[in-house]
Amino acid sequence: RMLSGYKPKNNVEDSYKILELEEGCSMDDVRNSYRTLAKKYHPDSSSGMADSKAFIRVEEAYRVVLSDLAAKQKSDPGEEEEDQFKSKSLQHRHYLSFEGVGIGTPSQREKQYMQFRVDRATEQVLEYRQQRLESRYAGSDLSRAKDVRQSKKVKITQAVERLVEDLIQESMAKGDFDNLSGKGKPLQKFSDSPHIDPMTHNLNRILIDNGYQPEWILLQKEIRETIERLRSSIVASRRKLGEPMTLSEQKQWGRICEQFEEDIRKLNKRVDNFNLVVPILSRQMVHFSMDKEILRARKTYEAVVEKVSDSDTKENEGEESKRFGWKSSLLKWLKL
C-alpha cells in the first residue's frame, strides 16, 4: 500500500537537469535521454557507472518530465498525449524497470512490484464494480441512494471475507472438516502450464470473475461484427438493384462500392490498432481487401439468385404435374 502511493520528490527544473535536457524539448528527446541514462546507471547493466541510486533519480526525473509534458500537451490539442502512447506501447516493455516501484536488489524490487500489482488489481476491481453500479442506478435521487448503498457494500467486501476466514479457522479447530472428501490431497491453485506466471494467472482470474474484458478482446469482437454487417449490407444492396442493371443502376452500384471501400479503409485502421494492443502474435489480424470482399458479395448474390430460380422451377413443375395428372391416370385406366 505504501509503495502503490509512492510519488517522486524531484521538481520540474531539477528533473530536466538530471535528464540533461532543457524545458521545451520534445517527447522523443526525453525518451532518448532516459534510455541513454538508464543504460548507463541501471544496476543490471554491464556499465562501469552502474548505480542504483542514480538510476532511481533518473527514473523519478523521467516520470516528472512526462507528467509536465502531458500537462502542456493537454492544453495543446494538436499534439499527441502521453496516455495514448502508453496504451499503444508493447506490454513486455512495462517489466523492464518494474514501473519504478521498489528499492533494493532486482529480486527485492520484483517482490515489491508483485505486491503492488495485487493492490492495484484489487483497487481496479473495486472501481470497476463501482462504475458498473453507477451506470446501472444513475438517473434519479433514489437510484443515487441505491448506488451509495451498493458502493458501501463493495467496500466492506474484504471485511466480510476476513470474517468468513475466521469462521473457517474456528470450524477447523472444532474438527468440522475432518471427514471431508479429498482431505490431504493438494489443491489445484495455479495453471498447469509452467510457462505462465502464477501471480499473473491469479490476477487475470480475479478480473475475469468480476466481468472484466481486455481491450483487445472487445476490439476484436467489434471488428468481426462490423465486417459481417458490411458484407450483409452490400449483398442486400446488390439484390435491390436486380439483374440486369440499367445505366442508372450501374452508377448507383458504383457509389455503393465507393462507400463500401471507405468503410473497409476505416475498418483496416481498427485492425492496425488491434494489432498494437493484442498480446499474442498469432492473434493478429490482416487487412480486409476491397476486391476480395466485392468478389465475395457477387458470389453470394449469384448463389442466392440461383437458389431462388431453382425454387421457382420446382414450383412450376409441381403445378404442371397437378394440371395434367388426371389425363395420365385416365390413359392408364383405359389400358387396363
Side-chain angles (χ1 to χ4, degrees):
R1 297 284 182 181
M2 180 182 66
L3 292 174
S4 63
Y6 176 76
K7 296 182 179 179
K9 300 179 181 179
N10 296 335
N11 54 22
V12 179
E13 296 180 358
D14 294 340
S15 300
Y16 278 103
K17 292 181 181 178
I18 292 174
L19 293 178
E20 300 177 359
L21 297 172
E22 296 181 358
E23 295 187 7
C25 58
S26 63
M27 189 70 69
D28 295 334
D29 296 336
V30 176
R31 296 189 191 117
N32 294 332
S33 178
Y34 170 70
R35 289 169 186 163
T36 303
L37 295 175
K39 292 178 182 179
K40 183 177 180 181
Y41 295 114
H42 198 281
D44 299 335
S45 64
S46 58
S47 175
M49 302 181 66
D51 187 1
S52 60
K53 294 182 179 180
F55 176 73
I56 292 174
R57 289 196 299 270
V58 170
E59 184 77 18
E60 293 177 353
Y62 176 64
R63 294 186 176 278
V64 171
V65 171
L66 283 184
S67 61
D68 181 62
L69 291 179
K72 293 180 180 178
Q73 289 176 355
K74 286 181 180 179
S75 60
D76 186 3
E79 297 182 0
E80 182 182 6
E81 296 184 358
E82 182 65 20
D83 294 337
Q84 296 178 355
F85 170 76
K86 289 182 179 179
S87 62
K88 298 295 186 297
S89 61
L90 299 177
Q91 296 185 2
H92 66 274
R93 299 281 180 87
H94 297 172
Y95 298 94
L96 294 178
S97 61
F98 303 106
E99 300 183 19
V101 176
I103 56 176
T105 61
S107 60
Q108 293 175 351
R109 287 188 289 119
E110 182 179 4
K111 293 180 180 178
Q112 296 169 7
Y113 178 63
M114 292 172 67
Q115 183 62 36
F116 166 70
R117 289 180 62 191
V118 171
D119 297 338
R120 184 173 58 183
T122 305
E123 293 176 358
Q124 289 178 353
V125 169
L126 294 178
E127 290 178 359
Y128 176 75
R129 287 181 176 178
Q130 187 174 359
Q131 291 177 0
R132 187 171 59 180
L133 292 172
E134 288 177 356
S135 61
R136 183 182 300 176
Y137 297 103
S140 61
D141 296 336
L142 180 60
S143 63
R144 292 192 187 95
K146 291 181 179 179
D147 186 13
V148 172
R149 289 196 297 269
Q150 292 293 336
S151 62
K152 289 182 179 180
K153 290 181 182 179
V154 172
K155 291 180 181 179
I156 64 175
T157 301
Q158 294 182 351
V160 174
E161 292 178 354
R162 289 196 296 269
L163 178 61
V164 172
E165 183 67 24
D166 294 338
L167 294 175
I168 292 174
Q169 295 295 334
E170 184 179 355
S171 299
M172 291 176 62
K174 292 179 181 179
D176 296 338
F177 298 151
D178 293 341
N179 297 325
L180 294 178
S181 59
K183 180 182 178 181
K185 296 181 180 180
L187 297 176
Q188 187 68 22
K189 299 173 63 177
F190 305 131
S191 175
D192 295 332
S193 177
H195 305 289
I196 300 178
D197 181 22
M199 181 64 67
T200 304
H201 174 73
N202 285 340
L203 291 176
N204 293 334
R205 180 173 54 82
I206 291 172
L207 294 174
I208 291 172
D209 293 341
N210 288 273
Y212 174 79
Q213 291 183 349
E215 180 185 1
W216 66 275
I217 292 291
L218 299 176
L219 193 56
Q220 184 183 32
K221 182 179 179 181
E222 181 183 356
I223 291 173
R224 289 178 178 176
E225 292 177 352
T226 304
I227 189 61
E228 291 298 331
R229 177 174 54 81
L230 292 176
R231 287 170 178 172
S232 60
S233 64
I234 194 171
V235 172
S237 301
R238 183 64 184 87
R239 290 185 63 184
K240 288 181 181 179
L241 296 176
E243 187 70 29
M245 292 187 295
T246 62
L247 183 60
S248 61
E249 289 177 346
Q250 291 179 0
K251 292 181 180 180
Q252 185 178 357
W253 174 247
R255 290 193 296 269
I256 293 174
C257 292
E258 290 177 359
Q259 181 62 35
F260 183 74
E261 184 178 3
E262 180 66 20
D263 295 336
I264 290 295
R265 187 180 62 81
K266 293 179 180 179
L267 186 61
N268 287 333
K269 287 186 178 180
R270 296 184 186 178
V271 172
D272 293 336
N273 295 333
F274 170 78
N275 292 335
L276 288 174
V277 299
V278 64
I280 306 174
L281 185 62
S282 59
R283 291 294 184 91
Q284 290 190 345
M285 303 176 67
V286 297
H287 284 184
F288 296 97
S289 174
M290 169 67 180
D291 298 333
K292 291 183 180 179
E293 294 298 331
I294 293 294
L295 181 61
R296 177 177 182 152
R298 186 179 301 171
K299 290 182 179 179
T300 304
Y301 168 73
E302 293 176 355
V304 172
V305 172
E306 184 179 358
K307 185 176 180 181
V308 172
S309 62
D310 292 341
S311 61
D312 293 340
T313 304
K314 290 181 180 179
E315 290 179 359
N316 294 331
E317 291 178 355
E319 291 179 356
E320 292 180 358
S321 62
K322 289 181 181 178
R323 184 182 302 173
F324 301 102
W326 65 274
K327 293 183 179 180
S328 61
S329 60
L330 179 59
L331 291 174
K332 288 180 181 180
W333 181 77
L334 290 175
K335 289 179 180 180
L336 292 173

